[in-house]
Amino acid sequence: MERWLASLLLLCLFFIVGAASIKCYSCNYPDEKCGDYFAYTNPDANDCQGSCVKRRGTREGGGVEVYRGCNTQKNTYCTQSDYVGMNVRECYCNEDYCNHSNSVRVSAVSLVIAFITVLYNLL
């Protein structure tokens, strides 16, 4: 019974932390500051409910288009697909300002909760 209650509390904590808004950069092609040489600062970010997203599309001729903004889903992952003649890499992340670079980081809170849950169930 105690393990069930502890697991329920950890799950509630996860949803409470996940419900808070995060700061995401929001910009789009053809804004030069939005591209590979990203030049926005933290005050340029917006509050988002969900995840930050970065989409980087490469056209067959070599042109690059970048979009950064908010998305309603909450998972952290990257995907690659073809869309309207572009090869598009799309990444979602859940930490403040995480859509600034070429990589996505897993939330530290998510990692800690997962580690504690696994450790608790092993003991």
Side-chain angles (χ1 to χ4, degrees):
M1 180 69 169
E2 288 178 17
R3 281 189 179 200
W4 180 82
L5 184 58
S7 295
L8 181 62
L9 288 173
L10 284 173
L11 187 62
C12 289
L13 176 64
F14 179 76
F15 285 115
I16 290 169
V17 170
S21 66
I22 60 174
K23 296 279 190 179
C24 300
Y25 293 107
S26 183
C27 59
N28 202 353
Y29 173 83
D31 183 350
E32 291 181 12
K33 292 189 336 180
C34 191
D36 288 334
Y37 302 105
F38 188 66
Y40 278 84
T41 61
N42 290 357
D44 296 320
N46 297 323
D47 287 327
C48 294
Q49 301 293 323
S51 293
C52 300
V53 62
K54 177 187 174 188
R55 293 183 189 106
R56 184 183 188 277
T58 306
R59 296 211 174 269
E60 290 179 9
V64 173
E65 297 181 16
V66 177
Y67 165 81
R68 298 169 204 270
C70 302
N71 194 282
T72 57
Q73 68 86 33
K74 294 193 181 256
N75 295 321
T76 298
Y77 68 95
C78 292
T79 184
Q80 191 132 356
S81 62
D82 290 322
Y83 178 75
V84 191
M86 285 194 296
N87 183 317
V88 178
R89 179 167 175 81
E90 185 170 58
C91 292
Y92 300 91
C93 54
N94 296 310
E95 291 184 3
D96 288 342
Y97 315 111
C98 62
N99 63 340
H100 73 287
S101 67
N102 292 327
S103 63
V104 172
R105 296 174 298 178
V106 177
S107 167
V109 173
S110 298
L111 286 176
V112 169
I113 290 171
F115 178 74
I116 289 171
T117 303
V118 169
L119 185 62
Y120 184 78
N121 287 322
L122 288 175
L123 297 177

